[in-house]
């Protein structure tokens, strides 16, 4: 084993949804004779897309990590040397969009690639962050952004596409559906999106499902969060001109 045991806790225990929040994760390792110690930290944070202002201290002394990487929902930190007993505090800024977000930590060692040892909560649910504002809210979509509401997909390289992006709250196992509908109520396009954490991004090039340019005019952008509860469906107008 890398350590005999380890416990951890995150503060604060509550946050605003989809808002930059400064967290501190404190780790208390129990290292005894025969343990090898660790020099790698792997945090698992739901919908992790970005981490800012990372600061680490070991035994109260600030240290610079050798490497910091974000991979899917994990933050990997490599420390400058193996830790053999002191507590560690990791400060970082990120956004959470799931109520009761669990922040887990595993310990690793560059001397034993692929070996990870989990950290237990120091107290019950001390690795859980609540988002109280989401508990009684019907809001599912945040930070909605249209690159433009009138675009000209004529192939001249200027204003040829319409980009829509937003942050999906609460729903972590569903994918939103985007349909473009004409004023007669017919679906002319269904869009596939890209995901980065809780962020979704959709691009429409002004073509229908047969890959033909649509006629100029006003269209409805229907956003369906694809959930059974909350404000799951929203509709916006966009215009195509040539």
């Amino acid at each position: 084993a890398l350590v005999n045991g380890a416990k951890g806790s995150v503060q604060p225990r509550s946050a605003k949804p989809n808002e930059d929040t400064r967290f501190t994760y404190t780790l208390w390792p129990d290292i005894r004779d025969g343990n090898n110690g660790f020099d790698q930290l792997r945090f698992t944070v739901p919908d992790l897309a970005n981490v800012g202002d990372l600061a680490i201290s070991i035994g109260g002394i600030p240290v610079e990590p050798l490497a910091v990487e974000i991979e899917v929902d994990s933050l990997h930190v490599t420390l400058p040397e193996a830790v053999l007993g002191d507590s560690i505090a990791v400060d970082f800024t990120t956004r959470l969009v799931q109520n009761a977000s669990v922040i887990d930590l595993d310990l690793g060692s560059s001397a034993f690639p692929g070996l990870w040892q989990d950290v237990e909560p120091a107290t019950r649910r001390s690795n859980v962050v609540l988002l109280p504002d989401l508990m009684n809210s019907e809001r599912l979509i945040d930070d909605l952004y249209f690159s433009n509401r009138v675009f000209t997909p004529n192939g001249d390289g200027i204003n040829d596409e319409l980009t829509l992006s937003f942050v999906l709250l609460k729903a972590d196992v569903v994918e939103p559906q985007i349909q473009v509908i004409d004023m007669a109520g017919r679906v002319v396009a269904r869009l596939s999106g890209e995901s980065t954490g809780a962020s979704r991004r959709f691009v429409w090039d002004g073509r229908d499902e047969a890959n033909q340019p649509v006629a100029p005019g006003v269209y409805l952008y229907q956003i369906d969060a694809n959930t059974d509860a909350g404000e799951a469906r929203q509709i916006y107008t966009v215009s195509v001109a040539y």
Side-chain angles (χ1 to χ4, degrees):
L2 303 178
V3 298
N4 187 65
K7 296 184 181 298
S9 179
V10 65
Q11 290 289 337
R13 298 284 300 282
S14 65
K16 295 285 187 180
N18 195 34
E19 185 175 297
D20 283 346
T21 304
R22 188 69 169 166
F23 293 100
T24 298
Y25 191 104
T26 305
L27 167 69
W28 297 277
D30 176 14
I31 299 181
R32 303 181 184 180
D33 290 343
N35 294 149
N36 294 286
F38 58 93
D39 61 1
Q40 295 180 340
L41 308 173
R42 183 177 67 184
F43 289 94
T44 301
V45 182
D47 298 306
L48 180 68
N50 188 37
V51 171
D53 303 324
L54 183 73
I56 302 174
S57 62
I58 301 177
I61 300 175
V63 299
E64 287 293 328
L66 289 182
V68 177
E69 300 178 35
I70 295 178
E71 182 178 337
V72 192
D73 284 355
S74 297
L75 171 67
H76 294 247
V77 179
T78 301
L79 302 173
E81 59 184 9
V83 177
L84 295 172
D86 291 320
S87 64
I88 296 179
V90 180
D91 299 320
F92 60 95
T93 299
T94 193
R95 297 185 175 196
L96 299 177
V97 298
Q98 304 291 333
N99 187 38
S101 293
V102 178
I103 299 180
D104 282 329
L105 174 62
D106 297 315
L107 307 179
S109 171
S110 56
F112 304 95
L115 173 64
W116 294 97
Q117 191 167 344
D118 66 325
V119 175
E120 298 180 359
T123 59
R124 184 175 179 271
R125 295 175 64 83
S126 64
N127 61 340
V128 177
V129 179
L130 300 178
L131 307 182
D133 288 357
L134 278 187
M135 298 174 69
N136 298 315
S137 172
E138 296 294 309
R139 183 165 55 103
L140 296 175
I141 293 173
D142 197 20
D143 285 353
L144 184 73
Y145 168 77
F146 281 94
S147 60
N148 39 287
R149 299 294 281 272
V150 178
F151 74 117
T152 57
N154 55 12
D156 65 355
I158 301 174
N159 202 26
D160 279 338
E161 296 180 335
L162 186 152
T163 299
L164 165 69
S165 63
F166 56 86
V167 171
L168 191 64
L169 304 176
K170 294 186 179 181
D172 59 343
V173 294
V174 301
E175 284 302 323
Q177 300 173 351
I178 307 297
Q179 293 182 335
V180 182
I181 303 170
D182 65 17
M183 298 309 291
R186 295 170 298 205
V187 177
V188 299
R190 294 177 174 85
L191 307 182
S192 298
E194 301 173 353
S195 300
T196 304
S199 298
R200 302 293 188 272
R201 179 177 179 271
F202 297 83
V203 178
W204 185 36
D205 60 3
R207 292 180 174 269
D208 61 19
E209 293 190 298
N211 200 34
Q212 298 299 313
V214 300
V218 177
Y219 292 84
L220 301 178
Y221 238 67
Q222 179 178 280
I223 306 171
D224 189 343
N226 197 22
T227 64
D228 295 329
E231 298 173 355
R233 183 172 295 179
Q234 299 184 22
I235 297 177
Y236 302 86
T237 59
V238 297
S239 298
V240 175
Y242 294 102

